[in-house]
Amino acid sequence: MTQLRTVQVLGGGSAGSSAHVRSLAAGLVARGVRVTVCAPAALDRAFDFLGAGADFTAVPRRSDPLSLAALRAACADADVVHAHGLHAALRVGRVLGAARRAPLVVTWHAFAPESGARGQWLRLRERRAVRDAAVVFGTSSVIVDRARLRGARDARLGAVTIPAPRQGTELHSGKVRAELGAMDRALVVAVGALEPHHGYGTLLDASRHWLDRDPPPLVAVAGEGPGRAALQRRIDAEGLPVRLLGRRDDVTALLAAADVAVLPSRWEARPPLGQEALRLGVPLVATAAGGVPELVGDAAELVAPGDAPALAAAVTALLDDPERRAELAAAGRVQAAGWPTEDDTVAQVLSVYDELRAGR
């Protein structure tokens, strides 16, 4: 049998999905698969798909004729095309067309609940994206169920596993805390794009409850996005103990330095922050939203999405209880040990590729 060739397609490419494609590309190349990644050029600069051994074709996010032509050329002789995210799936569906020369696999990484006219529009897009796929991987059971509801022919759980943290990360904790000015105060860390569904408005509401602590914990938020200006205005106007750090290349070290990690999202599938915090043994307070309970089990404190008083109380209780923090740290490492490894994820994906190629 000839060498298997797969094209991995990213649309906008969140940090989680881009890191997954980088890991997947490296694992597939190591197993003798020829991999081409199609994505905006900025993502290769950030995630170095070429360094993973893959070919790379720059395809802008916009769906103009030139972008679609570049994607069509890259997919021309593929054995399997794998789209990551619904935007990418819809674009690939247009490119492959009715001829369907190569089977399409879709990994559905996340979705945000919507209502009204926008919700109806999103449901139509979801149906179209999964209808075109031979196999849909959902990163949580909630997404698998949604894919089936939208008409997927074959939907399977495909947990996306981020790379394990490098050894020695904890050694940088003191340096990070010193940089942030948190040597003599508690440090609470959140990570993620500054977008509404990540719940940072709720986190700011919660931080008001900590103003009467002496000193109040420092809340450090790593991430960038369209909501930054509005969040900063609130922080300044209300004197909140919150720092927006922007994009960081040392997120793992930042988390390792934290007393508590916080995930205030309205919805998540398999959040990278949750994975990193539990692997590092950092106590986590998260919302019981989407796939989060499935991911963390009993190894985190869960509160309802949007409930700022509950979020504040859960963090406060942990900061005041070193023994509970130690229990959660140990439970997190045990929970993380049961997750699929990067090798497990690559093996699952490759088995589906072989299955699809054999059935052609």
Side-chain angles (χ1 to χ4, degrees), residues 142-154:
V142 176
I143 291 182
V144 173
D145 291 342
R146 184 157 174 151
R148 290 171 178 158
L149 182 65
R150 297 291 184 255
R153 288 174 283 168
D154 185 341

Side-chain angles (χ1 to χ4, degrees), residues 119-327:
Q120 184 176 5
W121 176 75
L122 284 174
R123 287 191 291 275
L124 290 173
R125 286 172 60 86
E126 290 168 1
R127 290 192 190 100
R128 190 176 304 121
V130 302
R131 179 196 63 200
D132 290 331
V135 174
V136 177
F137 285 123
T139 57
S140 69
S141 297
V142 176
I143 291 182
V144 173
D145 291 342
R146 184 157 174 151
R148 290 171 178 158
L149 182 65
R150 297 291 184 255
R153 288 174 283 168
D154 185 341
R156 313 180 190 187
L157 183 63
V160 170
T161 303
I162 63 171
R166 292 190 298 271
Q167 294 296 318
T169 298
E170 293 85 349
L171 299 177
H172 302 286
S173 298
K175 179 181 177 182
V176 170
R177 293 185 74 107
E179 174 209 337
L180 296 176
M183 296 301 292
D184 299 315
R185 62 194 295 197
L187 178 61
V188 177
V189 170
V191 179
L194 305 183
E195 297 176 349
H197 73 274
H198 279 151
Y200 290 121
T202 301
L203 180 58
L204 295 194
D205 291 340
S207 74
R208 297 179 65 181
H209 293 260
W210 303 321
L211 287 171
D212 59 356
R213 294 177 67 90
D214 186 21
L218 173 64
V219 182
V221 180
E224 194 56 84
R228 178 168 187 146
L231 292 172
Q232 190 64 58
R233 283 195 295 271
R234 270 201 65 189
I235 293 166
D236 295 340
E238 300 174 32
L240 301 177
V242 180
R243 283 187 59 186
L244 303 181
L245 305 179
R247 290 189 179 89
R248 299 279 295 210
D249 295 327
D250 61 344
V251 165
T252 302
L254 182 66
L255 272 174
D259 296 290
V260 176
V262 178
L263 184 69
S265 302
R266 297 178 192 171
W267 201 94
E268 291 279 1
R270 195 175 174 84
L273 169 64
Q275 295 182 59
E276 286 213 68
L278 267 61
R279 280 177 168 169
L280 289 166
V282 178
L284 175 67
V285 176
T287 50
V292 173
E294 178 181 31
L295 175 70
V296 303
D298 296 325
E301 300 287 1
L302 297 179
V303 300
D307 191 339
L311 180 66
V315 171
T316 298
L318 284 179
L319 293 178
D320 291 340
D321 190 345
E323 290 186 5
R324 179 57 179 159
R325 294 204 305 272
E327 288 174 2

